[in-house]
Amino acid sequence: MKRREFLKKTAALGIGSALLPATGFPESSRDQGAAKGPVVIVSGNGEVAARHALKQLQQGGEVLDAIIGGVTLVEDNPEDITVGYGGLPNEDGVVQLDAAVMHGPTHNAGGVAAIEGIRNPAKVARLVMERSDHVLLVGEGAKRFAKAHGFPEENLLTDKTRKIWLKWKETLSDQDKWFPGPDDEYSELLREYRHNYGTIHCSALDANGDLAAVTTTSGLSFKIPGRVGDSPIIGAGLYVDNAVGAAGSTGRGEANLTNLSCFMIVEFMRMGKSPQEACLEVCRRIVDHNRLPHLRHKDGRPNFGVNFYAVNRAGETGGAGIYRPSRGYWVGDAKGVRELEMGYLFERREE
Ligand code: GLY
């Protein structure tokens, strides 16, 4: 059967789990209970996304429209310098963005990595999923795909992020010819964001019990050009199994790339752990696997942070980080939108 006919046929039939072959999991461990949506879960920088997505879902909106609409508000906001337009650039002063989406009912996904000049990578990721036979497009190819779909190309570096980048460049070394300017508000911002992996994650369970997730980021500040983090990688920066739950992450992407953390969270939920326990268990795994000396404090603990957010099919949510996160995560459900505390393994400590 030709691909186009196959797609038409599966669309006409509906891609319900009844049509899928058995996976070898007993039904009891695959189905984590009756769905109780809509429920939205978002990382700490995403209150506006939580409010938007919940409203959309409560009005009967489609789950991907709801969550991508939510994170788009943050991508468009230059005040959030870790995502989308106005995100911190790479070491060349160029903003390179990563994003992915995953759709529970079809178990399909799309992502873009190191895309330049396009402010809404989450929307492009969705188009990769829905309008191509691929899952991940990178760099120039991702940009050309976005432009083919009508996305305008623009300079994503704002005056603010250019000044922070310039401060980074000028203070990087005393062996080069760049002289640092005066200590000012951009020096302060540089101190705060020098090693920043800021990202926004949003997952949702809709009223039909369907799950979806999106993660979008400008990645590690001042990264080597071409560096790709966990956010556009399915299983690392996000994962959904419609029969179990969804998970996403913010923080050091390299730790999630080498542990497939979000896939593991969903698998722990499949085994019966609560979302919070599943997130904590993956934090423990990362700490156990963290062997490289340059990534460890003297006491052996990681010198980086990673945070996780998860929701199961019953609508239970949880969040946890390796270190006590500076803020909670946002949940939106029948009780409204509120910030909940994250679990953690260790108190934050200075070394
Ligand atoms: N978690 C975002 C990144 O590492 O790029």
Side-chain angles (χ1 to χ4, degrees), residues 95 106 140 348:
V95 181
T106 52
E140 185 58 27
R348 194 161 281 285

Side-chain angles (χ1 to χ4, degrees), residues 51-63:
R51 293 192 185 284
H52 175 94
L54 182 66
K55 196 168 166 197
Q56 293 279 304
L57 289 172
Q58 285 175 336
Q59 291 172 352
E62 193 272 332
V63 66

Side-chain angles (χ1 to χ4, degrees), residues 7-29:
L7 289 176
K8 253 204 225 148
K9 258 208 157 80
T10 49
L13 286 169
I15 310 178
S17 55
L19 294 170
L20 298 174
T23 62
F25 288 102
E27 202 55 36
S28 61
S29 71

Side-chain angles (χ1 to χ4, degrees), residues 98 196-199 215-220 223 227-232 237 249-257 306:
D98 297 339
N196 194 271
Y197 296 92
T199 300
T215 304
T216 176
T217 186
S218 55
L220 173 63
K223 59 195 171 188
R227 178 264 188 191
V228 172
D230 60 322
S231 303
S249 181
T250 59
R252 180 177 162 81
E254 282 74 3
N256 291 334
L257 287 168
V306 189

